[in-house]
C-alpha cells in the first residue's frame, strides 16, 4: 500500500492513466469544495512510493478528472465555476490549454470516450444538463441533453456502444442517452434516493451499477429493469463512487461517506462483499481500478490523502 498526500486540499476524484499504468491524476478542492480553489495533481508510482510529477491550480474547486484516450499528456477536469479545463502535462505554462464554459452550475462529472475514433467528452452538471464536447472542434459543445429533474452527479460513456453514455442524478434515476439523436433511450427509477455514481460493466454492454445515498449499490441489466440483478448492502453512509473491475466481469468497487472502500462480487448471492478497506478518516470520494495492473485500486479522500492498494 502506498500513500500520497495533498495538504489543505480535499480529494474528489482520482484516475489512472490509460497509457502509463504508474501515472495517476487527482482532482482536489480547498475547504471541502465549498469555497476556495482547486488543484489537479499528476503523480507517479515508484518502487518506494508516490511522487508528484506536476500540479495545476484553478480558481475554483475541482470535482472530477479524466485522461485523454488519444494523448498521454492531456487531462480534463470539471470545476465548481461550471467550466471544464483542459490541461497538458507537457506544457511548461501553468494554466489550462482550454477552458470550456457553458454549464451554469458546478460540473461534477467528466468522462472521455473510450471509442477512440470519437474523441468525445461528456460532462454532467448541477444545472441538470449533460453536454457532449469534441475538443478538436473548439470551445462549443456538440449538444446538450436535458431530462433529469435533479442535479447530475455522474456521466459515463459506454465502453461498448459508440455515442452512448449513462447519467446518474439526484432525481433518483439512471438514464441512458444516445448522442446521435440527442435523446434519452432509457430512464430507470433506480433508487428512492439521490444517485451519486454509475459505471458500465467492461464485459457486458447491458450491465450498469449505481451507487446512492440510500447506502446501496444496484446492478442493472438494461434489457429488464423492473428489478436489479443484484442489490449490494454493507455501507453505512452514502456511496460516492462505483467502478467495475477491468479484469473480472462481476467484481466492482465502491467508496463511501462511511470512510471505506469495498470490493464486491455481485455473482455471489450469499456473501458478495469481498473486502473492506478502512484506511481513511474522512469521506472517500475518488476511486479507480488500474487498467493494466490486476487488482490495483486507487482512492482519494477528504482527509487529504490518497491510497494505492
Amino acid at each position: 500500500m502506498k500513500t500520497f498526500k495533498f495538504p489543505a486540499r480535499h480529494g474528489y476524484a482520482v484516475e489512472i492513466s490509460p497509457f502509463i499504468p504508474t501515472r495517476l491524476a487527482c482532482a482536489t478542492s480547498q475547504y471541502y469544495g465549498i469555497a476556495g480553489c482547486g488543484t489537479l495533481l499528476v503523480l507517479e508510482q515508484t518502487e518506494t512510493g508516490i511522487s508528484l510529477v506536476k500540479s495545476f491550480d484553478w480558481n475554483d474547486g475541482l470535482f472530477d478528472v479524466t485522461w485523454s484516450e488519444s494523448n498521454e499528456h492531456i487531462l480534463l477536469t470539471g470545476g465548481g465555476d461550471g467550466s471544464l479545463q483542459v490541461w497538458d502535462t507537457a506544457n511548461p505554462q501553468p494554466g489550462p490549454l482550454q477552458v470550456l464554459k457553458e454549464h451554469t452550475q458546478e460540473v461534477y462529472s467528466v468522462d472521455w470516450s473510450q471509442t477512440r475514433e470519437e474523441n468525445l467528452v461528456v460532462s454532467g452538471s448541477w444545472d441538470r444538463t449533460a453536454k457532449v464536447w469534441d475538443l478538436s472542434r473548439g470551445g462549443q459543445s456538440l449538444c446538450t441533453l436535458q431530462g433529469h429533474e435533479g442535479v447530475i452527479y455522474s456521466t459515463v460513456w459506454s465502453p461498448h456502444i459508440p455515442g452512448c453514455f449513462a447519467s446518474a442524478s439526484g432525481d433518483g434515476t439512471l438514464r441512458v442517452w444516445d448522442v446521435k439523436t440527442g435523446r434519452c433511450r432509457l430512464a430507470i427509477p433506480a433508487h428512492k434516493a439521490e444517485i451519486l455514481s454509475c459505471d458500465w460493466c467492461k464485459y457486458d454492454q447491458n450491465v450498469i451499477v449505481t451507487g446512492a445515498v440510500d447506502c446501496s449499490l444496484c446492478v442493472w441489466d438494461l434489457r429488464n429493469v423492473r428489478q436489479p440483478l443484484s442489490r449490494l448492502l454493507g455501507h453505512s453512509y452514502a456511496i460516492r463512487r462505483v467502478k467495475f473491475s477491468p479484469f473480472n466481469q462481476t467484481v466492482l468497487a465502491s467508496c463511501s461517506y462511511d470512510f471505506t472502500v469495498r470490493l464486491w462480487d455481485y455473482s455471489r448471492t450469499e456473501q458478495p462483499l469481498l473486502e473492506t478497506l478502512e484506511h481513511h478518516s474522512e469521506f472517500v470520494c475518488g476511486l479507480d481500478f488500474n487498467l493494466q495492473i490486476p487488482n490495483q485500486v486507487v482512492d482519494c479522500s477528504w482527509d487529504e490523502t490518497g491510497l494505492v492498494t
Side-chain angles (χ1 to χ4, degrees):
M1 188 170 63
K2 298 172 184 174
T3 303
F4 56 97
K5 297 182 180 181
F6 31 91
R9 297 290 186 274
H10 302 103
Y12 264 90
V14 64
E15 188 164 296
I16 297 169
S17 166
F19 294 98
I20 307 167
T22 55
R23 185 154 295 187
L24 55 107
C26 183
T28 71
S29 297
Q30 275 185 311
Y31 306 116
Y32 303 97
I34 298 167
C37 66
T39 301
L40 171 64
L41 306 170
V42 181
L43 303 145
E44 185 76 25
Q45 295 186 56
T46 66
E47 290 185 7
T48 55
I50 299 173
S51 59
L52 180 68
V53 175
K54 198 157 189 175
S55 66
F56 300 99
D57 290 320
W58 186 242
N59 56 16
D60 211 314
L62 296 178
F63 297 132
D64 202 13
V65 61
T66 183
W67 289 90
S68 166
E69 294 285 341
S70 58
N71 184 327
E72 67 184 56
H73 300 293
I74 302 295
L75 304 101
L76 183 82
T77 49
D81 59 354
S83 72
L84 288 73
Q85 309 83 29
V86 184
W87 309 94
D88 184 353
T89 60
N91 184 3
Q93 302 301 319
L97 283 182
Q98 198 175 2
V99 178
L100 310 173
K101 184 73 171 76
E102 288 186 20
H103 286 294
T104 58
Q105 293 185 47
E106 290 91 331
V107 176
Y108 229 57
S109 178
V110 288
D111 193 38
W112 210 295
S113 172
Q114 294 173 24
T115 306
R116 295 191 185 273
E117 62 267 21
E118 283 185 342
N119 205 32
L120 299 178
V121 166
V122 63
S123 58
S125 169
W126 285 14
D127 66 12
R128 304 185 178 188
T129 70
K131 290 178 180 285
V132 176
W133 313 77
D134 183 342
L135 300 188
S136 65
R137 295 191 184 183
Q140 287 189 319
S141 63
L142 296 178
C143 60
T144 301
L145 299 107
Q146 296 176 299
H148 277 298
E149 296 174 4
V151 303
I152 295 177
Y153 289 110
S154 181
T155 48
V156 185
W157 288 106
S158 167
H160 309 280
I161 308 165
C164 174
F165 71 89
S167 60
S169 168
D171 63 14
T173 68
L174 170 72
R175 290 176 181 255
V176 179
W177 303 86
D178 183 343
V179 172
K180 292 181 181 66
T181 63
R183 293 181 178 176
C184 175
R185 294 171 53 182
L186 188 62
I188 304 167
H191 296 260
K192 294 179 181 177
E194 289 195 298
I195 308 172
L196 302 186
S197 186
C198 62
D199 195 32
W200 297 81
C201 176
K202 307 301 183 282
Y203 294 87
D204 187 332
Q205 67 178 22
N206 295 302
V207 175
I208 297 182
V209 63
T210 51
V213 171
D214 63 9
C215 308
S216 76
L217 295 92
C218 288
V219 181
W220 301 92
D221 186 327
L222 299 180
R223 295 164 296 188
N224 181 5
V225 297
R226 283 176 293 180
Q227 61 184 34
L229 286 175
S230 178
R231 190 164 184 257
L232 305 172
L233 300 172
H235 283 293
S236 55
Y237 285 95
I239 294 163
R240 180 62 183 83
R241 205 175 291 264
V242 290
K243 287 283 178 82
F244 262 108
S245 167
F247 291 99
N248 189 308
Q249 181 169 341
T250 58
V251 169
L252 52 94
S254 57
C255 65
S256 167
Y257 292 165
D258 66 11
F259 307 172
T260 72
V261 173
R262 296 176 192 238
L263 294 167
W264 313 80
D265 184 340
Y266 78 83
S267 68
R268 295 169 51 160
T269 54
E270 291 298 316
Q271 287 189 318
L273 181 62
L274 300 176
E275 190 175 2
T276 301
L277 305 174
E278 300 180 85
H279 303 305
H280 288 289
S281 58
E282 254 292 359
F283 293 176
V284 187
C285 293
L287 179 68
D288 197 21
F289 278 100
N290 198 313
L291 296 174
Q292 298 178 55
I293 302 174
N295 303 318
Q296 187 182 86
V297 176
V298 60
D299 66 48
C300 67
S301 168
W302 278 11
D303 65 9
E304 305 178 7
T305 68
L307 290 169
V308 177
T309 50

